[in-house]
Amino acid sequence: MSALALAVHDSSTMTRRSLRRIIRYPSMTLILVGMPVVFLLLFVYVFGETLGAGLGVGALGRAGYADYVTPGILVITVAAAAQGTAISVAMDMDAGLIARFRTMPVTRSAVLTGHATASFLQAMFSVLAVLLVALAVGFRPNAGIAGWLAATGVVALFVVALTWLSVALGLVAKTPESASNLPMFLILLPFLSSGFVPTQSLPGALRWFAENEPFTPTIESVRGLLLGSPSGRDVALAIGWSVLIAVLSYLWAQRLFDRRPTR
């Protein structure tokens, strides 16, 4: 068996291991889905009428705000899933399981790849679950098949980026408890973007930050692709940010993994 075939086989084994743990402990997945759903219901049913009235042409109160806020909630779901990934990686490091794998004939890259692949599938499942709830509460996208496929691709690429970032954060954390706190900024950043209100309504410095951070073009891309107003500039920025974060995070994670064999 070639080295590549061995790496694929070992990565598949590690992915199945991580998926079994996700299935046996569904509470984490329920939390990852539950938090964005609470945000969705809160913003649509409590603030939606007021915030929707201020969105301008095409927005009609709560119904219009459900269309506006859902892409932001979907991206928050991705960020929340990253927190679970960091905790899972830190638990393996803290329990010495990674050290055990190092004594076995396992391809080194397979350990982190297994975590990343299982976390990717968990995040995409969470996004689908939140999307179904959004459709139930009034989200009404008008995209065709191409729009849905493009939006799914943008979200999937962003999931890959944040997954590898969370793997690195899980490796750098000293305990699982600290690993649960390190990715918190990923959940806060969507609130400082165009996820809940247009960036034009924000004050000077905050507006500049919101327009130039990676969450805003990702949210605007999903919003445009699903609601029929795609922006090529936002899609290009979203892809660029995702690729940049994914590559840097992957290299960071591999370096941490090589330098920290045990706790």
Side-chain angles (χ1 to χ4, degrees), residues 83 86-88 90-91 169-170 173-183:
Q83 189 178 27
I87 295 173
S88 179
M91 288 175 64
L169 292 174
K174 294 183 178 179
T175 64
E177 290 76 16
S178 63
S180 67
N181 295 324
L182 286 179

Side-chain angles (χ1 to χ4, degrees), residues 12-125:
S12 175
T13 301
M14 290 297 170
T15 300
R16 288 198 300 274
R17 167 188 168 270
S18 296
L19 287 175
R20 285 196 184 100
R21 182 162 65 178
I22 290 172
I23 293 171
R24 289 175 181 172
Y25 300 98
S27 57
M28 177 62 74
T29 303
L30 291 175
I31 292 173
L32 299 181
V33 173
M35 186 182 68
V37 168
V38 170
F39 281 143
L40 176 66
L41 299 179
L42 177 67
F43 276 90
V44 170
Y45 288 109
V46 178
F47 306 123
E49 192 67 32
T50 301
L51 292 174
L55 289 179
V57 178
L60 299 173
R62 183 175 291 114
Y65 193 68
D67 285 342
Y68 183 85
V69 79
T70 294
I73 297 294
L74 295 179
V75 173
I76 281 185
T77 306
V78 177
Q83 189 178 27
T85 305
I87 295 173
S88 179
V89 172
M91 288 175 64
D92 275 358
M93 293 293 289
D94 193 59
L97 195 58
I98 300 296
R100 173 60 177 150
F101 285 142
R102 290 176 184 275
T103 68
M104 302 170 65
V106 178
T107 307
R108 293 176 64 83
S109 62
V111 179
L112 296 186
T113 301
H115 268 296
T117 305
S119 297
F120 172 84
L121 295 174
Q122 184 186 35
M124 293 303 289
F125 170 80

Side-chain angles (χ1 to χ4, degrees), residues 146-158 194 211 213-244:
W148 277 101
L149 290 176
T152 302
V154 170
V155 172
L157 192 57
F158 200 59
S194 64
E211 290 177 345
E213 60 127 316
F215 281 87
T216 294
T218 304
I219 292 170
E220 288 301 319
S221 297
V222 176
R223 182 176 290 140
L225 290 167
L226 294 184
L227 298 176
S229 57
S231 167
R233 179 179 179 275
D234 287 325
V235 174
L237 284 174
I239 294 173
W241 271 114
S242 296
V243 171
L244 178 65

